C-alpha cells in the first residue's frame, strides 16, 4: 500500500479544516455555534476527534507493518452521526439538552466500527433528536449542501451526508426514521441505505421513534455502502428488536446483474408534488432499467397516501415518551428552579428546540386517553395496511422504485416556516420505514431547481426490497450505478472546491 | 395501575363470605376491600439489564446505562423473571396469557430513570387466579376464596433521599437519588374486591407471602420492601353498588394492614353517616398514630398515556413452556398445612412453620428421626424464640433440621432435660451451628445426671435436711415433693434427671 492510514486520516482532517468551518486546536475540535458560522462553511461536523483518529490510524499502520491481523475496513475514515454514542466523546443529538453529556458507553454500531478498525473522524451535525428533513433544526446551526452552500443537505442526517458529499469522509453512518438517510443522500448526490429494521442494533442510538429508527451507511458508491452495512448489521442481544436471522449477504451477489428482474414502479410515489426535473430523471432511470434487461411493472401501494399522516402520529408519539428522560435530573442541561417539577419544566423549555417541542406535544396528545384510539391506534392500523400493500406488491415485483425525494435540495430557510411543507419531503421514504423494509437511495442524475433553472443538483433514486432482502436492493443499485457512470462530485460556482 | 381501570369489577358480598356487617349509627355497612400487592423478584439480575439485584449496596453501585435510562440504552427482558412470574401465577391458580406485551406508563418522577415505567397493561402475564385463605373466626378456621384479577410484570423505581431538616422533599436542601433498585423486576398482584373484613385481608397477605416464599421467587420481606401492599377500601350499604374507594399506602406489616383497614372503614362510615362524601384519594397510614390521612387527592384521573413499548417484543408462553414451569411448582402452603396436620402438628403451629419459612427445617428434622409434634414444638417455640432474640433467622443461623432432631433425641434418651436442652440450644446458636447438640452438652457439662449412684447421695442429704417437708409428704401433701426435686436440681445445677430424682425421693420417703 502506497498511502498510510495516517496519511489518509490527515488528508481528511485537512479537508475538514478547510471546508467545514471547524475551528480546531489539533486536539479535540469543537464545532462553533451558529452565530460564528461562516457563510462558506459546510458545517458537517459538530465534534472532530482528531487526536484519537490520528492515534487510531497510526496504530493501524503499526499493526499492518507488524503483519498483525486487521479489521476489514482498517484505517478507513468515517463520520458518525451525533445520535450514536461513543464512549468518552460528547453526544449532543444536535440539541442543547445534551450539552456536556459524555456517554459512558459505546453504541453497538460504534463497537463494531472499532472492531473493524474503521477510524472515526468525529460526530456529525443533525436535526435536533433526528427530527427534520433539512438539518436546519440543529441547535448548533445548520449544515449546508456542498453542491450549493445556499441549500440544505436534507435531514436529519444532513451532517453525515454532507461529510461524504463534501469529501470530508469516504463513509458515514446516519440514522433513518422516516427517510433521514435516504433523503439527504438524494439531496447531496451520494448513496445512503436504510437496512431492514432490526438488522442493525439500536443499542446506543439515542431514540427518536424506536419502532422506526435504523442506522445505516452513507458512501459514494453502492459497493462501499454495502461493505459498511455488512460491518454493522447482525444480531445484538442488547436490542430486543434485533432480528436473530443471519442478515443477507449483501456483497456476495452484488455483481450478479438484474437481467430478468421485475422492477416495480409505485403509482402513488411519483405524481403530484414531484418536481419536473425529478420526474424526468426518474423516467430516464426506468429506461435504463429496461436497457439493463429488467422488466418494468406498475404496482400500487393503495395506502401509501396515508403513510405520511400515520408516520407523523406514530413517530411523535414514540418521541414524546422517548424524550421524557431529558429532565435535567441525570445528565445534560439543567435549569435550576425551586422544585423538581419546576426544574424539569424549565429545563425542557430551555433545552428543546421548536420542532422537538411541536412533536412532543403532538405525540402527547395522540397518546392521551380519549385520543389514543383515534390517532395512535388508527395510525398503527394504517401501518399494518401499508406493510400488507408492500407484501402484495412484492408478489408482482422483485424490487420497487421511486424518486427518493419529490424535490432537489431546497434553499436554507425556504421551508422552516411551514412544517407541513417540510414533512412532505418524506412522502416517498416514509412508507418503507413504516413497513420496516430495506430501502436505498443512489444518485440517478441531476436536475434544475424550480427557483434556479440553471442549477445542476443531484436527484436520488429509491430502491426498495422485501424484508431482509437488502442483498437485492444493493444488487439492483450496483447494476444501475455501473451503467449510469455518474460521478457524484459537487461542481459549479457555489460548490466547495474539491481536493 | 389498578384492576378497576380496565373493566367492570365484580365484587363479592360479605354475606357470601359469611362476614358480619359493620354497624353504624344509621344501620349496617358492608366493607369492600381489594389489595394490590407488589413483590420484588429475587432474580440474580435486573429486569432489563445484567445489573445485580442485591439489597443494601452503596448507592448507585448496581447501575448501568440501561437501568439509569442513559440516552440510547435499551431494555431486554429477563427470561428468568418471566419464568418466576409464571411460576407464581400458576401457584395462584392463574391463567397464563399465551401472548402478552409490555406497555409504557408515562409519568414524570425524579427516581423513575426513563420517566416512564415499563409495565403490562391490556394483557397481563397472568389473569383470573384465586387464593383460598384460612381466616380465624373464634376458635375455628373458615376458608374464604379471594379471586385474583391479574398478576403483571413491571420494574421497580429508584429511591429518593431528601437531605435537610425535614427529611421530606418539601424544604429539603437537596435530593439524592439511588438507582440501585431501579429496574428490579416487580410483580403486581391485584385481587378482586372480595375481602370484607380486616382478618381476611391479613390472612390473604400472609398466605400470599407464604406462597411467594414457597415458590422461592422472593424472600417477601416487608421490612426490606420486597413485598409491599396497598389496600383499596370502600364501604356501602348492603345491596348497593360499590362505594367510592380510597387507596391506603405505606402498609409495612400484616398488622398495619388490618389496623388501617379497620380504621379506614370506621372513618368512611362516620363521614357518610355525617352526610359527607368519600373522595377518591390516596391515603397514608400513620402507624404511630393509628390513623390514615390524605396523601394526595386525585382531582382527575392521571393520564399515563399507555402504549406498547416499541423497544420490546411480545412475550409468548406456549402451552409446553407453561407446563414445564408448572412441573417446577413446589408443595404449596395449603398442601403443607394439610400434611403437617396429618402428621400431628397443631394447626396454628403448622401455619407458623410455613409462614416463617421453617418448613424445610421441619422436614429435615422429621427425616432425621424427630417426632413431628416435638419438632414443631421446638421450632415454633424455643428455636424461633431464641433466634428472634438474637435477631437472626433460621436460614442465617447455621442451625439445621438435623440439629433439632438430635436435640430432641437427647431429651428422649434422658441425656438432657428440657431445661438443659434450652441451654444447649443457646450454645448451638452462639456457635452459629458449628457445634451439634451432643458436643455443646458435653463441652458445657450440661448432660443430665441420671445415674442412681451419683444422685442417691444428694437425694439422701436433701431428705435429711428437709424433715418438715418429708413429714408433710408422708402426711398426704404429695405436691410438696416438687420442693424436694427443686432442691436436688439446685444442688446439681439443673442436671439431675427429674424422673430418676423423683423415683429416688419416693423410695427414700416411702410415699
Amino acid at each position: 500500500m502506497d498511502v498510510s492510514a495516517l496519511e489518509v486520516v490527515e488528508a481528511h482532517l485537512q479537508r475538514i479544516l478547510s471546508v467545514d468551518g471547524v475551528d480546531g486546536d489539533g486536539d479535540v475540535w469543537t464545532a462553533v455555534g451558529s452565530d460564528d458560522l461562516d457563510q462558506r462553511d459546510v458545517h458537517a461536523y459538530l465534534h472532530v476527534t482528531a487526536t484519537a483518529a490520528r492515534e487510531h490510524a497510526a496504530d493501524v499502520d503499526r499493526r499492518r507493518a507488524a503483519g498483525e491481523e486487521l479489521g476489514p475496513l482498517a484505517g478507513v475514515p468515517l463520520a458518525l452521526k451525533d445520535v450514536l454514542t461513543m464512549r468518552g466523546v460528547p453526544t449532543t443529538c444536535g440539541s442543547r439538552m445534551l450539552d456536556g453529556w459524555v456517554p459512558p458507553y459505546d453504541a453497538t454500531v460504534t463497537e463494531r466500527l472499532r472492531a473493524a478498525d474503521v477510524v472515526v473522524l468525529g460526530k456529525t451535525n443533525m436535526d435536533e433528536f433526528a427530527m427534520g428533513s433539512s438539518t436546519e433544526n440543529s441547535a448548533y446551526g445548520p449544515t449546508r449542501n456542498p453542491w450549493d452552500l445556499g441549500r440544505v443537505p436534507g435531514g436529519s442526517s444532513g451532517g453525515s451526508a454532507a461529510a461524504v458529499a463534501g469529501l470530508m469522509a469516504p463513509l458515514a453512518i446516519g440514522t433513518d426514521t422516516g427517510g433521514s438517510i435516504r433523503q439527504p443522500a438524494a439531496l447531496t448526490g451520494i448513496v445512503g441505505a436504510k437496512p431492514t429494521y432490526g438488522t442493525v442494533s439500536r443499542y446506543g442510538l439515542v431514540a427518536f421513534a424506536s419502532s422506526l429508527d435504523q442506522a445505516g451507511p452513507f458512501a459514494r458508491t453502492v459497493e462501499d455502502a454495502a461493505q459498511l452495512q455488512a460491518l454493522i448489521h447482525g444480531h445484538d442481544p442488547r436490542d430486543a428488536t434485533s432480528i436473530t436471522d443471519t442478515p443477507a449477504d449483501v456483497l456476495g451477489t452484488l455483481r450478479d446483474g438484474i437481467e430478468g428482474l421485475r422492477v416495480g414502479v409505485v403509482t402513488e410515489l411519483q405524481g403530484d408534488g414531484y418536481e419536473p426535473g425529478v420526474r424526468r430523471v426518474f423516467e430516464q432511470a426506468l429506461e435504463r432499467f429496461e436497457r439493463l434487461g429488467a422488466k418494468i411493472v406498475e404496482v400500487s401501494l393503495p395506502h401509501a397516501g396515508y403513510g405520511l399522516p400515520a408516520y407523523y402520529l406514530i413517530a411523535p408519539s414514540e418521541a414524546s415518551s422517548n424524550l421524557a428522560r431529558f429532565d435535567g435530573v441525570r445528565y445534560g442541561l439543567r435549569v435550576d428552579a425551586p422544585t423538581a417539577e419546576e426544574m424539569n419544566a424549565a429545563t425542557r423549555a430551555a433545552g428543546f428546540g421548536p420542532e422537538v417541542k411541536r412533536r412532543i406535544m403532538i405525540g402527547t396528545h395522540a397518546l392521551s386517553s380519549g385520543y389514543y384510539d383515534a390517532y395512535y391506534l388508527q395510525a398503527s392500523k394504517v401501518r399494518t395496511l401499508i406493510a400488507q400493500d408492500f407484501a402484495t406488491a412484492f408478489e408482482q415485483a422483485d424490487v420497487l422504485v421511486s424518486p427518493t425525494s419529490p424535490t432537489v435540495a431546497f434553499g436554507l430557510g425556504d421551508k422552516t416556516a411551514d412544517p407541513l411543507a417540510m414533512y412532505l419531503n418524506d412522502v416517498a421514504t416514509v412508507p418503507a420505514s413504516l413497513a420496516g423494509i430495506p430501502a436505498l437511495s443512489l444518485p440517478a442524475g441531476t436536475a434544475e431547481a424550480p427557483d434556479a433553472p440553471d442549477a445542476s443538483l443531484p436527484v436520488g433514486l429509491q430502491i426498495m426490497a422485501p424484508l431482509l432482502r437488502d442483498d437485492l436492493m444493493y444488487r439492483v443499485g450496483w447494476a444501475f450505478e455501473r451503467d449510469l457512470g455518474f460521478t457524484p462530485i459537487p461542481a459549479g460556482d457555489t460548490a466547495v472546491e474539491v481536493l | 395501575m389498578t384492576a378497576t381501570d380496565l373493566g367492570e369489577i365484580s365484587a363479592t358480598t360479605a354475606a357470601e363470605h359469611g362476614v358480619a356487617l359493620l354497624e353504624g349509627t344509621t344501620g349496617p355497612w358492608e366493607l369492600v376491600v381489594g389489595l394490590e400487592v407488589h413483590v420484588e423478584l429475587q432474580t440474580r439480575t435486573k429486569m432489563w439489564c445484567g445489573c445485580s439485584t442485591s439489597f443494601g449496596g452503596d448507592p448507585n453501585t448496581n447501575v448501568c446505562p440501561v437501568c439509569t435510562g442513559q440516552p440510547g440504552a435499551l431494555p431486554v427482558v429477563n427470561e428468568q423473571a418471566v419464568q418466576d412470574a409464571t411460576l407464581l401465577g400458576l401457584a395462584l391458580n392463574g391463567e397464563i396469557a399465551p401472548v402478552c406485551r409490555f406497555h409504557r406508563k408515562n409519568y414524570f418522577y425524579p427516581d423513575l430513570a426513563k420517566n416512564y415505567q415499563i409495565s403490562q397493561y391490556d394483557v397481563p402475564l397472568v389473569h383470573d387466579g384465586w387464593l383460598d385463605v384460612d381466616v380465624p373466626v373464634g376458635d375455628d378456621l373458615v376458608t374464604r376464596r379471594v379471586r385474583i384479577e391479574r398478576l403483571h410484570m413491571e420494574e421497580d423505581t429508584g429511591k429518593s433521599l431528601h437531605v435537610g431538616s425535614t427529611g421530606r422533599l418539601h424544604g429539603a436542601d437537596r435530593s439524592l437519588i439511588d438507582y440501585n433498585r431501579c429496574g428490579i423486576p416487580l410483580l403486581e398482584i391485584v385481587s378482586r374486591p372480595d375481602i370484607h373484613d380486616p382478618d381476611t385481608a391479613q390472612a390473604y397477605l400472609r398466605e400470599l407471602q407464604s406462597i411467594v416464599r414457597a415458590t422461592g421467587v422472593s424472600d417477601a420481606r416487608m421490612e426490606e420492601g420486597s413485598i409491599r401492599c396497598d389496600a383499596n377500601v370502600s364501604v356501602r350499604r348492603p345491596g348497593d353498588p360499590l362505594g367510592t374507594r380510597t387507596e391506603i399506602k405505606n402498609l409495612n406489616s400484616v398488622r398495619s394492614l388490618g389496623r388501617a383497614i379497620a380504621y379506614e372503614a370506621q372513618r368512611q362510615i362516620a363521614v357518610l353517616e355525617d352526610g359527607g362524601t368519600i373522595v377518591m384519594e390516596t391515603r397514608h397510614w400513620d402507624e404511630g398514630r393509628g390513623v390514615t390521612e390524605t396523601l394526595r387527592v386525585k382531582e382527575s384521573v392521571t393520564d399515563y398515556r399507555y402504549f406498547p413499548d416499541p423497544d420490546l417484543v411480545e412475550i409468548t408462553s406456549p402451552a409446553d413452556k407453561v407446563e414445564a414451569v408448572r412441573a417446577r411448582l413446589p408443595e404449596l402452603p395449603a398442601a403443607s398445612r394439610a400434611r403437617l396436620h396429618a402428621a400431628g402438628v397443631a394447626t396454628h403451629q403448622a401455619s407458623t412453620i410455613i409462614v416463617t419459612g421453617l418448613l424445610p427445617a421441619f422436614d429435615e428434622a422429621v427425616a432425621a428421626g424427630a417426632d413431628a409434634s416435638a419438632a414443631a414444638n421446638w421450632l415454633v417455640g424455643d428455636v424461633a424464640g431464641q433466634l428472634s432474640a438474637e435477631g437472626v433467622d433460621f436460614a442465617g443461623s447455621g442451625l439445621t433440621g438435623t440439629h433439632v432432631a438430635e436435640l430432641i433425641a437427647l431429651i428422649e434418651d434422658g441425656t438432657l432435660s428440657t431445661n438443659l436442652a434450652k441451654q444447649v440450644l443457646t450454645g448451638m446458636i452462639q456457635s452459629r451451628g458449628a457445634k451439634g447438640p451432643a458436643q455443646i452438652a458435653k463441652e458445657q457439662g450440661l448432660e443430665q445426671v441420671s445415674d442412681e449412684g451419683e444422685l442417691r447421695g444428694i437425694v439422701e442429704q436433701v431428705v435429711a435436711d428437709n424433715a418438715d417437708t418429708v413429714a408433710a409428704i408422708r402426711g398426704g401433701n404429695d405436691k410438696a415433693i416438687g420442693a424436694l426435686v427443686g432442691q436436688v436440681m439446685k444442688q446439681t445445677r439443673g442436671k439431675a434427671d427429674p424422673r430418676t430424682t423423683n423415683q429416688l425421693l419416693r423410695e427414700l420417703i416411702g410415699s
Side-chain angles (χ1 to χ4, degrees):
Chain A
M1 176 165 291
D2 297 322
V3 184
S4 72
L6 186 57
E7 284 169 324
V8 172
V9 163
E10 203 57 57
H12 282 92
L13 291 173
Q14 286 310 311
R15 174 74 181 168
I16 292 165
L17 183 62
S18 66
V19 306
D20 206 40
V22 174
D23 181 19
D25 59 5
D27 185 12
V28 175
W29 298 348
T30 309
V32 291
S34 53
D35 292 344
D36 305 324
L37 196 66
D38 191 298
Q39 286 305 310
R40 291 163 306 172
D41 298 334
V42 173
H43 194 219
Y45 285 89
L46 288 177
H47 189 94
V48 175
T49 50
T51 302
R54 287 191 182 104
E55 281 170 5
H56 193 178
D59 184 54
V60 167
D61 287 334
R62 184 190 59 72
R63 284 187 287 146
R64 196 189 301 278
E68 287 175 33
E69 204 175 316
L70 292 167
L73 289 178
V76 178
L78 175 138
L80 190 63
K81 186 178 181 181
D82 203 28
V83 72
L84 285 148
T85 63
M86 184 169 185
R87 185 195 292 269
V89 177
T91 294
T92 67
C93 295
S95 180
R96 289 283 174 215
M97 190 56 100
L98 276 173
D99 249 352
W101 184 57
V102 179
Y105 74 109
D106 269 345
T108 299
V109 166
T110 311
E111 210 173 75
R112 292 188 178 186
L113 293 171
R114 281 190 205 268
D117 284 315
V118 169
V119 178
V120 176
L121 295 173
K123 309 292 290 292
T124 56
N125 201 10
M126 55 185 285
D127 280 309
E128 185 176 4
F129 287 107
M131 298 177 193
S133 307
S134 67
T135 314
E136 291 169 288
N137 292 333
S138 169
Y140 303 93
T143 295
R144 297 176 158 75
N145 193 324
W147 288 75
D148 176 348
L149 294 178
R151 293 179 186 274
V152 302
S156 64
S157 312
S160 285
V164 173
L167 308 178
M168 288 176 272
L171 298 176
I173 298 287
T175 61
D176 190 311
T177 304
S180 282
I181 290 176
R182 291 161 285 160
Q183 185 254 14
L187 269 47
T188 59
I190 62 170
V191 179
K194 180 195 90 71
T196 298
Y197 179 82
T199 53
V200 178
S201 172
R202 288 186 298 112
Y203 188 78
L205 191 177
V206 180
F208 160 21
S210 309
S211 74
L212 296 155
D213 295 342
Q214 189 68 165
F218 280 115
R220 283 196 281 277
T221 69
V222 171
E223 182 162 1
D224 284 358
Q227 291 258 14
L228 184 52
Q229 177 165 333
L231 216 58
I232 59 172
H233 71 188
H235 179 63
D236 177 14
R238 288 176 299 193
D239 176 356
T241 61
S242 168
I243 287 173
T244 47
D245 303 50
T246 311
D249 177 6
V250 292
L251 293 166
T253 58
L254 199 63
R255 291 171 165 79
D256 283 4
I258 58 169
E259 187 145 7
L261 281 187
R262 297 164 302 166
V263 171
V265 179
V266 182
T267 316
E268 291 83 1
L269 300 182
Q270 50 175 326
D272 292 345
Y274 287 71
E275 288 174 1
V278 170
R279 278 153 75 167
R280 194 177 57 248
V281 170
F282 181 63
E283 278 154 22
Q284 288 163 0
L286 297 183
E287 288 164 18
R288 188 174 305 279
F289 278 125
E290 282 192 307
R291 281 206 305 280
L292 288 168
K295 188 168 172 256
I296 302 291
V297 293
E298 176 120 356
V299 300
S300 173
L301 300 175
H303 299 93
Y306 303 107
L308 215 53
Y311 172 83
Y312 277 99
L313 285 169
I314 291 171
S317 293
E318 293 185 13
S320 71
S321 172
N322 282 331
L323 268 53
R325 68 187 64 195
F326 302 104
D327 59 2
V329 173
R330 288 161 303 275
Y331 36 70
L333 185 72
R334 174 184 293 173
V335 177
D336 275 324
T339 67
E341 204 170 304
E342 289 165 279
M343 180 278 286
N344 185 201
T347 299
R348 289 170 69 81
F352 290 136
E355 182 62 24
V356 172
K357 286 177 183 163
R358 182 180 301 126
R359 296 205 198 183
I360 288 173
M361 286 189 284
I362 292 170
T364 302
H365 183 70
L367 288 177
S368 57
S369 86
Y371 297 97
Y372 179 90
D373 288 359
Y375 294 131
Y376 182 85
L377 195 63
Q378 197 69 8
S380 299
K381 288 176 182 167
V382 168
R383 184 177 190 171
T384 306
L385 292 175
I386 288 175
Q388 285 166 359
D389 281 357
F390 273 112
T392 308
F394 283 123
E395 286 169 11
Q396 298 150 37
D398 298 293
V399 293
L400 308 182
V401 294
S402 78
T404 307
S405 162
T407 71
V408 295
F410 46 93
L412 284 157
D414 280 4
K415 299 188 181 182
T416 43
D418 185 354
L420 292 180
M422 188 74 90
Y423 297 169
L424 277 173
N425 249 275
D426 304 334
V427 68
T429 50
V430 150
S433 296
L434 290 170
I437 60 169
L440 168 89
S441 178
L442 80 169
T446 55
E448 71 288 358
D451 59 341
D454 298 332
S456 175
L457 293 163
V459 173
L461 170 73
Q462 179 175 230
I463 301 170
M464 296 168 274
L467 281 172
L468 292 167
R469 291 306 308 277
D470 305 50
D471 56 330
L472 203 52
M473 157 186 103
Y474 282 113
R475 181 177 145 198
V476 173
W478 190 88
F480 181 88
E481 173 190 77
R482 183 186 168 87
D483 192 64
L484 181 69
F486 172 53
T487 309
I489 301 287
D493 294 343
T494 55
V496 173
E497 200 180 315
V498 297
L499 277 171
Chain B
M1 109 137 230
T2 61
T4 54
D5 294 341
L6 282 175
E8 203 178 315
I9 329 162
S10 68
T12 52
T13 62
E16 283 166 19
H17 287 290
V19 177
L21 296 173
L22 299 168
E23 282 305 323
T25 51
T26 60
W29 293 90
E30 184 183 35
L31 172 63
V32 180
V33 178
L35 297 182
E36 289 172 24
V37 178
H38 283 95
V39 177
E40 258 188 10
L41 290 180
Q42 224 161 23
T43 47
R44 232 172 19 81
T45 57
K46 291 187 181 179
M47 188 67 201
W48 319 113
C49 63
C51 285
S52 165
T53 53
S54 62
F55 177 81
D58 284 340
N60 297 309
T61 48
N62 295 334
V63 296
C64 74
V66 174
C67 56
T68 53
Q70 299 289 309
L74 294 173
V76 176
V77 174
N78 181 340
E79 177 58 28
Q80 185 61 49
V82 177
Q83 295 221 3
D84 286 359
T86 305
L87 186 70
L88 185 58
L90 292 171
L92 298 174
N93 308 295
E95 305 283 331
I96 310 298
V99 179
C100 64
R101 58 186 171 182
F102 288 100
H103 274 66
R104 289 187 187 174
K105 180 180 182 179
N106 293 282
Y107 62 101
F108 283 91
Y109 205 68
D111 53 16
L112 188 65
K114 303 180 290 289
N115 281 317
Y116 58 81
Q117 184 188 32
I118 306 176
S119 182
Q120 294 194 295
Y121 182 52
D122 52 1
V123 183
L125 180 73
V126 184
H127 62 96
D128 292 313
W130 48 264
L131 200 51
D132 280 341
V133 296
D134 290 337
V135 188
V137 175
D139 290 340
D140 290 335
L141 282 177
V142 174
T143 303
R144 291 188 182 129
R145 177 162 294 189
V146 177
R147 291 169 302 161
I148 291 165
E149 164 142 349
R150 57 188 278 147
L151 175 155
H152 70 249
M153 309 187 68
E154 55 188 35
E155 56 178 336
D156 216 337
T157 64
K159 261 188 220 169
S160 298
L161 176 71
H162 307 296
V163 183
S165 51
T166 59
R168 303 185 80 157
L169 178 61
H170 186 72
D173 296 333
R174 60 208 158 103
S175 295
L176 306 173
I177 308 175
D178 177 5
Y179 289 102
N180 278 353
R181 206 179 66 186
C182 230
I184 288 185
L186 198 60
L187 303 183
E188 181 173 333
I189 301 153
V190 182
S191 86
R192 300 256 179 192
D194 285 355
I195 296 168
H196 303 285
D197 64 328
D199 289 345
T200 307
Q202 290 180 313
Y204 171 85
L205 182 56
R206 231 182 254 120
E207 183 72 4
L208 191 53
Q209 201 169 16
S210 304
I211 291 175
V212 169
R213 285 182 181 152
T215 54
V217 302
S218 171
D219 56 16
R221 290 176 201 267
M222 287 199 97
E223 66 276 14
E224 287 180 9
S226 58
I227 185 166
R228 315 196 271 273
C229 180
D230 302 333
N232 288 306
V233 178
S234 65
V235 295
R236 64 176 169 187
R237 295 289 189 190
D240 276 4
L242 284 172
T244 303
R245 66 188 157 86
T246 59
E247 183 180 14
I248 311 173
K249 295 212 177 261
N250 192 36
L251 301 167
N252 293 325
S253 67
V254 174
R255 185 167 168 270
S256 300
L257 172 67
R259 290 179 70 206
I261 291 172
Y263 173 88
E264 182 61 12
Q266 292 306 329
R267 186 192 71 86
Q268 290 188 11
I269 290 169
V271 168
L272 292 170
E273 293 195 329
D274 240 23
T277 50
I278 302 299
V279 285
M280 196 186 275
E281 62 181 359
T282 304
R283 296 181 71 85
H284 163 89
W285 168 247
D286 186 322
E287 178 71 37
R289 289 161 50 222
V291 296
T292 65
E293 56 197 3
T294 301
L295 192 64
R296 50 181 179 266
V297 179
K298 289 181 179 172
E299 282 159 353
S300 58
V301 179
T302 313
D303 188 352
Y304 291 119
R305 305 189 311 280
Y306 284 99
F307 78 108
D309 192 324
D311 286 332
L312 291 164
V313 289
E314 287 171 332
I315 302 177
T316 54
S317 302
D320 55 340
K321 192 171 145 190
V322 174
E323 291 318 305
V325 175
R326 198 189 299 277
R328 282 174 35 214
L329 269 180
E331 179 181 73
L332 294 174
S336 308
R337 269 196 304 271
R339 178 163 66 80
L340 264 55
H341 194 66
V345 178
T347 310
H348 68 277
Q349 281 190 342
S351 293
T352 306
I353 285 172
I354 292 156
V355 169
T356 53
L358 286 169
L359 187 60
F362 171 86
D363 285 339
E364 192 186 328
V366 172
D371 169 65
S373 176
N377 276 330
W378 274 93
L379 280 168
V380 171
D382 291 286
V383 174
Q386 289 200 24
L387 285 175
S388 141
E390 291 272 316
V392 284
D393 60 8
F394 194 89
S397 70
L399 297 185
T400 65
T402 307
H403 284 145
V404 175
E406 284 167 11
L407 190 67
I408 292 167
L410 290 175
I411 299 164
E412 281 176 352
D413 73 9
T415 310
L416 292 177
S417 65
T418 307
N419 276 331
L420 289 171
K422 289 177 185 177
Q423 293 177 50
V424 169
L425 176 63
T426 308
M428 278 158 63
I429 291 170
Q430 278 162 359
S431 83
R432 284 290 180 266
K435 295 170 184 173
Q439 193 185 348
I440 298 272
K442 192 170 226 156
E443 280 179 15
Q444 302 191 1
L446 294 172
E447 284 152 317
Q448 191 161 243
V449 181
S450 44
D451 180 74
E452 274 193 38
E454 257 182 77
L455 280 177
R456 187 173 291 271
I458 300 163
V459 171
E460 282 172 349
Q461 191 61 50
V462 165
V463 169
D465 291 349
N466 294 278
D468 291 355
T469 314
V470 171
I473 296 165
R474 286 188 176 134
N477 183 1
D478 199 50
K479 280 182 186 168
I481 200 162
L484 298 183
V485 173
Q487 289 287 327
V488 175
M489 284 296 170
K490 198 174 169 187
Q491 298 205 15
T492 59
R493 287 180 295 121
K495 294 192 292 184
D497 172 10
R499 208 167 30 189
T500 314
T501 306
N502 229 300
Q503 217 174 331
L504 283 169
L505 279 170
R506 288 185 188 284
E507 192 182 302
L508 284 167
I509 296 166
S511 71

